[in-house]
Amino acid sequence: MTPLSEEQLEKKRHDRKIQILAAAIKVFAENGIKLTKISVIAKEAGISHGLLYHYFQSKEEVLHASLEWATAGTNELFDEITRHDFSALEKIRHFTKIALSEGNSDTFRVIQHVMRAKDLVLEVTNDLIEKQGSVYIKQLLPLFSQAQADGEIIEDDPQELLALFLTVITGILMEGDQEYWSHNLDHKVNLILRMFTAR
Amino acid sequence: MTPLSEEQLEKKRHDRKIQILAAAIKVFAENGIKLTKISVIAKEAGISHGLLYHYFQSKEEVLHASLEWATAGTNELFDEITRHDFSALEKIRHFTKIALSEGNSDTFRVIQHVMRAKDLVLEVTNDLIEKQGSVYIKQLLPLFSQAQADGEIIEDDPQELLALFLTVITGILMEGDQEYWSHNLDHKVNLILRMFTAR
Amino acid sequence: MTPLSEEQLEKKRHDRKIQILAAAIKVFAENGIKLTKISVIAKEAGISHGLLYHYFQSKEEVLHASLEWATAGTNELFDEITRHDFSALEKIRHFTKIALSEGNSDTFRVIQHVMRAKDLVLEVTNDLIEKQGSVYIKQLLPLFSQAQADGEIIEDDPQELLALFLTVITGILMEGDQEYWSHNLDHKVNLILRMFTAR
Amino acid sequence: MTPLSEEQLEKKRHDRKIQILAAAIKVFAENGIKLTKISVIAKEAGISHGLLYHYFQSKEEVLHASLEWATAGTNELFDEITRHDFSALEKIRHFTKIALSEGNSDTFRVIQHVMRAKDLVLEVTNDLIEKQGSVYIKQLLPLFSQAQADGEIIEDDPQELLALFLTVITGILMEGDQEYWSHNLDHKVNLILRMFTAR
DNA sequence: AATGAATGAGGTTTCATTCAT
DNA sequence: GATGAATGAAACCTCATTCAT
């Protein structure tokens, strides 16, 4: 039989890689970086650990690639948000809902894990995380300032407000009970935003 | 030298244990349960790892005992709070400040670590954590209800409000930048409480 | 395209095998048996490792076949030498030069590698090596004896002399700096032969 | 019971280290660097592999330390040789005998293995080897020059003669049949030296 | 009580070999 | 024939735990 065409092979490789990266983000989010066993990622992806090493050189590379892949997805989020014709506060609310809704939490959690174990992680991965963190700030800070100008959130150092906001979001995501949070989400988001919203 | 009396010996043994447990809580909080090495706890306590096994049977026992010891400390916190002649909201505010102020975070963090890795931990330790969690709820829920009755926090399912509150507190403590939080603490606590306070 | 005839197919198959065996000898010589990866042999031969297994059953078979092929080549060397109308010492000198000149060393080196790791190698391969060793002895020993009879090399147990000679040759070949040895080869050969030559 | 005194402990540690280093040199010499399993060194030393890692950080460190230890021994050899009131040729002969006699070969062989796999080895280890190589040259080259001046070895570039000499010695040592060589050693050494000796 | 030597189970990574295409 | 995806045994190294001193 003839071997697969170059194109078919490339697609298969690509699919497999995505499959591994998705499994990796999930498992890394659950167990942290160091405690995640390559064998568990492989099992989650439904392959042998040997095959995983066919696609990636090391655990560190799996981590880096999975974060690259996952953050790319996150960034689309902002594109979507800014496309809408919402007020600044509405955009913050929208971001909060999406961040807290099921399925989007793994990436945040892995980032959090990396930040707590910077020395166990490649330099490039730390850079990636830092860059990603600044994406959040760069995108959200103007929204906070604008919402203040609109009189929708309280007068205070917007950087401080944003820092508190991100800490709270991150804390909730780290907590892990996503099912609980996806329940009655609108209401919970409103409560969180009450931290900043003008009365 | 005269040998120590039975009583003195017992006291010395007890002090040693406390010394180890304090070291353990600190190191467990920093690194998580599984990633904490017995040797690091021993070093933090200023003893050899061999001696640690003289006082405790296993890492799991160290974890359990350190949590028992630390949560006992936490419980005194409530005694202190309820002694004051504060309003319910003031008591919540007081609790929040103490929880977030430097030095008190380790216990929360270890509890959080345990909850995220329940299967790596003894049944009794999980029970202890659960009981401790219910202590918070048992102590704080009446305060939330009372504050509602006082019209100081919003009308809403108090259980939900408490859950959100605890998640946010926990999230902040897990974030780890305690120095940042001890700065301008009153203001930050006010912002957090705005989630619930009536306007 | 017309399909290849049976005979052409056979030839093509044979050529492929030779191509693999030549690559194998080269790579085995360079890295030793165990450290040589099948994938590297395949790459050297310009094929995929999968195809290599189409022609040979296992790494051990590749080793065996490559040695069979290479030693057959070596044996032609003796035919050539004995055809010349040289004195015994001249024949020994000729053999030495050819053995040390670039390109002929790989076989010696692989043999040497096998002899140092007899237990990692098939019985039949060990037999092959042993037989090949005895070829050298069978061919060279008469030359040494004759050269003694001619008074060209010293009186001594010719077996001992031969053993020393082969050890020295092998040692030089294992050393690996073939470029150095191909330089001013005649002179170096003379020095080596001085071990035995009568004054 | 009281723990061992500092001094006793230090001695025990030192003895164990030597025991491991001796085992390591032997096993490295036999199997090469990469193929030597840490578990085999440990077994040869009569300990568990875990304990080996109690004394050394890594396989690379074992290799380095064992070479340091073994070459220190080799260097004493030259001290001993130069103390004698021998002629230059006699000193060369003495060196040759000692190098070829049983027990001294392992170090040479490990060095040889390292030189053939420079990229698998720490920079410092390569430096150590290089330095050791230059020790041989620095010590032996004057002896060759002197022996020429004495008319005991032939006129030729002494560097070339030394290179040939070292290659031959190394080759013999790599060959591995030390038992054979220790037999009738004087005679064999004489044959080897005939490569250079004036007639 | 006190130390640190000693053990071995378990996690990461490599590579010979098989198999689907 | 031809490719490279897929598997799993085996090797290095870490660390909880035990034990001799």
Side-chain angles (χ1 to χ4, degrees):
Chain A
M1 273 171 266
T2 34
L4 292 177
S5 76
E6 183 65 30
E7 197 183 345
Q8 287 171 310
L9 212 51
E10 186 49 48
K11 173 160 178 24
K12 194 174 179 189
R13 271 188 81 79
H14 182 258
D15 290 352
R16 262 277 189 259
K17 277 194 158 189
I18 301 299
Q19 177 187 4
I20 294 170
L21 296 177
I25 278 286
K26 184 175 167 196
V27 180
F28 277 131
E30 212 152 306
N31 308 315
I33 313 302
K34 186 76 178 292
L35 291 183
T36 290
K37 306 176 215 168
I38 226 66
S39 63
V40 173
I41 297 179
K43 199 172 292 173
E44 176 76 30
I47 61 173
S48 70
H49 68 271
L51 185 55
L52 189 149
Y53 279 94
H54 194 72
Y55 289 95
F56 300 97
Q57 304 268 348
S58 66
K59 186 173 162 178
E60 283 189 329
E61 194 190 314
V62 174
L63 173 62
H64 187 82
S66 65
L67 274 171
E68 249 179 346
W69 172 73
T71 52
T74 304
N75 292 349
E76 289 173 16
L77 170 58
F78 286 112
D79 295 347
E80 198 240 282
I81 289 173
T82 45
R83 258 202 309 280
H84 288 291
D85 190 22
F86 288 159
S87 75
L89 181 59
E90 284 308 308
K91 284 176 180 171
I92 293 170
R93 188 190 313 278
H94 193 66
F95 171 82
T96 312
K97 280 175 63 177
I98 291 176
L100 294 183
S101 56
E102 222 159 337
N104 273 100
S105 66
D106 283 349
T107 309
F108 281 80
R109 298 178 75 185
V110 178
I111 290 175
Q112 213 53 24
H113 281 304
V114 170
M115 290 179 69
R116 259 183 243 155
K118 285 186 173 150
D119 42 349
L120 300 178
V121 159
L122 287 176
E123 189 61 35
V124 279
T125 305
N126 278 318
D127 289 352
L128 178 68
I129 296 303
E130 200 151 328
K131 203 182 296 176
Q132 182 61 20
S134 65
V135 165
Y136 292 138
I137 293 170
K138 206 174 295 176
Q139 299 279 350
L140 290 171
L141 196 51
L143 295 181
F144 272 70
S145 298
Q146 181 59 46
Q148 282 184 329
D150 298 345
E152 299 207 276
I153 72 174
I154 59 176
E155 291 299 328
D156 200 343
D157 178 359
Q159 302 224 24
E160 287 257 334
L161 294 184
L162 178 53
L164 177 59
F165 173 73
L166 286 176
T167 297
V168 168
I169 298 294
T170 305
I172 291 168
L173 289 170
M174 289 306 284
E175 243 250 320
D177 193 351
Q178 291 311 299
E179 204 178 342
Y180 166 78
W181 279 92
S182 59
H183 233 17
N184 214 351
L185 181 58
D186 279 316
H187 182 53
K188 279 157 186 153
V189 169
N190 280 339
L191 288 175
I192 293 167
L193 294 184
R194 274 177 60 95
M195 287 196 291
F196 323 110
T197 47
R199 12 212 105 193
Chain B
M1 276 192 284
T2 40
L4 295 175
S5 73
E6 182 68 27
E7 196 183 347
Q8 285 171 311
L9 268 175
E10 184 50 44
K11 169 148 180 31
K12 199 177 166 199
R13 196 177 160 79
H14 181 257
D15 289 352
R16 246 309 142 72
K17 279 191 152 193
I18 301 300
Q19 176 188 3
I20 294 170
L21 297 178
I25 278 288
K26 183 176 167 195
V27 181
F28 277 133
E30 212 151 306
N31 308 314
I33 314 302
K34 187 75 182 293
L35 291 182
T36 290
K37 302 177 214 172
I38 272 300
S39 63
V40 172
I41 297 178
K43 196 173 292 174
E44 177 76 29
I47 61 173
S48 71
H49 68 270
L51 186 54
L52 188 148
Y53 276 92
H54 205 78
Y55 290 94
F56 300 97
Q57 303 273 344
S58 66
K59 185 173 164 178
E60 284 189 327
E61 195 190 315
V62 174
L63 173 63
H64 188 81
S66 66
L67 274 170
E68 249 179 345
W69 171 76
T71 53
T74 305
N75 293 348
E76 289 173 16
L77 171 59
F78 287 112
D79 295 347
E80 198 240 283
I81 289 173
T82 45
R83 259 201 310 280
H84 288 290
D85 189 20
F86 287 158
S87 76
L89 181 59
E90 284 308 307
K91 284 176 180 172
I92 293 171
R93 188 190 312 278
H94 194 65
F95 171 82
T96 310
K97 280 175 64 175
I98 292 176
L100 294 183
S101 55
E102 227 160 332
N104 273 99
S105 65
D106 284 349
T107 310
F108 281 81
R109 297 180 76 185
V110 178
I111 290 174
Q112 212 51 25
H113 281 305
V114 169
M115 290 179 66
R116 259 184 243 156
K118 287 188 171 144
D119 43 348
L120 300 178
V121 159
L122 286 176
E123 189 60 34
V124 279
T125 305
N126 279 318
D127 290 351
L128 177 68
I129 295 303
E130 201 150 329
K131 203 181 297 175
Q132 181 61 19
S134 64
V135 166
Y136 293 137
I137 292 170
K138 205 174 295 175
Q139 299 278 352
L140 290 171
L141 196 50
L143 294 181
F144 271 70
S145 298
Q146 181 60 48
Q148 282 183 329
D150 298 345
E152 299 206 278
I153 71 174
I154 59 176
E155 290 299 328
D156 200 344
D157 178 0
Q159 301 225 23
E160 287 257 333
L161 294 184
L162 179 52
L164 177 58
F165 174 73
L166 287 175
T167 298
V168 168
I169 298 296
T170 306
I172 291 168
L173 288 170
M174 289 308 285
E175 242 250 320
D177 193 350
Q178 291 310 300
E179 204 179 341
Y180 166 79
W181 279 93
S182 59
H183 221 34
N184 215 352
L185 181 59
D186 279 315
H187 181 53
K188 279 158 188 155
V189 169
N190 280 338
L191 288 176
I192 293 167
L193 294 183
R194 276 177 59 96
M195 288 195 293
F196 323 110
T197 48
R199 317 224 147 156
Chain C
M1 272 192 288
T2 38
L4 295 175
S5 72
E6 182 67 27
E7 196 183 346
Q8 285 171 311
L9 267 175
E10 185 49 47
K11 168 148 181 29
K12 200 178 166 197
R13 196 177 161 80
H14 181 257
D15 289 352
R16 249 305 145 73
K17 280 192 151 190
I18 300 300
Q19 175 189 4
I20 294 169
L21 297 177
I25 277 288
K26 182 176 168 197
V27 181
F28 277 132
E30 213 152 303
N31 308 314
I33 313 301
K34 188 74 181 291
L35 292 182
T36 290
K37 304 177 214 170
I38 272 301
S39 62
V40 172
I41 298 178
K43 195 173 292 173
E44 177 77 29
I47 62 173
S48 71
H49 66 271
L51 186 55
L52 187 149
Y53 276 91
H54 205 78
Y55 290 94
F56 300 96
Q57 303 271 345
S58 67
K59 185 172 162 178
E60 283 188 327
E61 194 190 316
V62 174
L63 173 62
H64 187 82
S66 65
L67 274 170
E68 249 179 344
W69 171 74
T71 53
T74 305
N75 293 347
E76 290 173 14
L77 171 60
F78 286 113
D79 294 348
E80 198 239 283
I81 289 172
T82 45
R83 258 201 310 281
H84 288 289
D85 190 22
F86 287 158
S87 76
L89 180 59
E90 283 310 307
K91 285 177 178 172
I92 292 170
R93 186 190 314 277
H94 192 65
F95 171 83
T96 310
K97 280 176 64 177
I98 291 175
L100 293 184
S101 56
E102 226 160 331
N104 274 99
S105 65
D106 285 348
T107 308
F108 281 82
R109 297 179 76 183
V110 177
I111 290 175
Q112 212 53 24
H113 281 303
V114 170
M115 290 180 67
R116 260 184 242 158
K118 286 188 172 147
D119 42 351
L120 300 177
V121 158
L122 287 175
E123 189 60 34
V124 278
T125 306
N126 279 318
D127 289 352
L128 177 68
I129 295 303
E130 199 149 332
K131 201 182 300 175
Q132 181 62 19
S134 65
V135 165
Y136 293 136
I137 293 171
K138 205 174 295 174
Q139 298 280 350
L140 290 170
L141 196 51
L143 295 181
F144 271 70
S145 298
Q146 180 61 45
Q148 282 183 330
D150 297 347
E152 298 206 276
I153 71 175
I154 58 177
E155 289 300 327
D156 199 342
D157 177 0
Q159 302 226 23
E160 287 257 333
L161 293 185
L162 178 52
L164 176 60
F165 173 73
L166 287 175
T167 297
V168 168
I169 297 295
T170 306
I172 291 168
L173 288 170
M174 290 307 285
E175 243 249 322
D177 193 351
Q178 290 312 300
E179 204 178 342
Y180 166 79
W181 279 93
S182 58
H183 230 19
N184 213 351
L185 182 58
D186 279 316
H187 181 53
K188 281 158 185 153
V189 169
N190 280 339
L191 288 176
I192 292 167
L193 294 183
R194 274 176 61 95
M195 288 196 290
F196 323 109
T197 47
R199 11 215 103 193
Chain D
M1 272 171 267
T2 34
L4 292 176
S5 76
E6 184 65 29
E7 196 182 345
Q8 287 171 309
L9 212 53
E10 187 48 49
K11 173 161 176 22
K12 194 174 178 187
R13 273 189 78 80
H14 182 257
D15 289 352
R16 263 277 190 260
K17 278 194 157 191
I18 301 300
Q19 177 188 4
I20 294 169
L21 297 178
I25 277 287
K26 183 175 166 197
V27 180
F28 277 131
E30 213 151 304
N31 307 314
I33 312 302
K34 187 76 178 292
L35 291 183
T36 290
K37 306 177 214 170
I38 226 66
S39 63
V40 173
I41 297 179
K43 198 172 292 173
E44 176 77 28
I47 62 173
S48 70
H49 70 270
L51 186 56
L52 188 148
Y53 280 96
H54 194 74
Y55 290 94
F56 300 96
Q57 304 268 349
S58 65
K59 186 172 159 179
E60 282 189 329
E61 194 188 315
V62 175
L63 173 63
H64 188 82
S66 64
L67 274 170
E68 249 179 345
W69 171 73
T71 53
T74 304
N75 293 348
E76 288 173 17
L77 170 59
F78 285 112
D79 294 348
E80 199 240 281
I81 289 173
T82 46
R83 257 200 312 280
H84 288 291
D85 190 23
F86 288 159
S87 75
L89 180 60
E90 284 309 306
K91 284 176 179 172
I92 293 170
R93 185 189 314 277
H94 192 65
F95 170 83
T96 310
K97 279 175 63 177
I98 291 175
L100 294 184
S101 56
E102 224 161 333
N104 273 99
S105 67
D106 283 348
T107 308
F108 281 81
R109 297 178 75 184
V110 178
I111 290 175
Q112 212 54 24
H113 281 303
V114 169
M115 289 180 68
R116 255 181 248 159
K118 284 185 174 152
D119 42 349
L120 300 177
V121 160
L122 287 175
E123 189 61 33
V124 278
T125 306
N126 277 319
D127 289 352
L128 178 69
I129 295 304
E130 199 150 330
K131 203 182 296 176
Q132 183 61 21
S134 66
V135 165
Y136 292 137
I137 293 171
K138 205 174 294 175
Q139 298 279 351
L140 291 172
L141 195 51
L143 295 182
F144 272 71
S145 298
Q146 180 61 45
Q148 283 183 329
D150 297 346
E152 298 205 278
I153 71 175
I154 59 176
E155 291 300 327
D156 199 343
D157 178 0
Q159 300 225 25
E160 287 257 332
L161 293 184
L162 178 52
L164 176 60
F165 173 73
L166 286 175
T167 297
V168 168
I169 297 294
T170 305
I172 290 168
L173 288 169
M174 291 305 285
E175 243 249 320
D177 193 352
Q178 291 311 301
E179 204 178 344
Y180 166 78
W181 278 93
S182 58
H183 223 32
N184 214 352
L185 182 58
D186 278 314
H187 182 53
K188 281 159 186 152
V189 169
N190 280 338
L191 288 176
I192 292 167
L193 294 183
R194 276 178 57 96
M195 288 195 291
F196 322 109
T197 47
R199 319 229 146 150

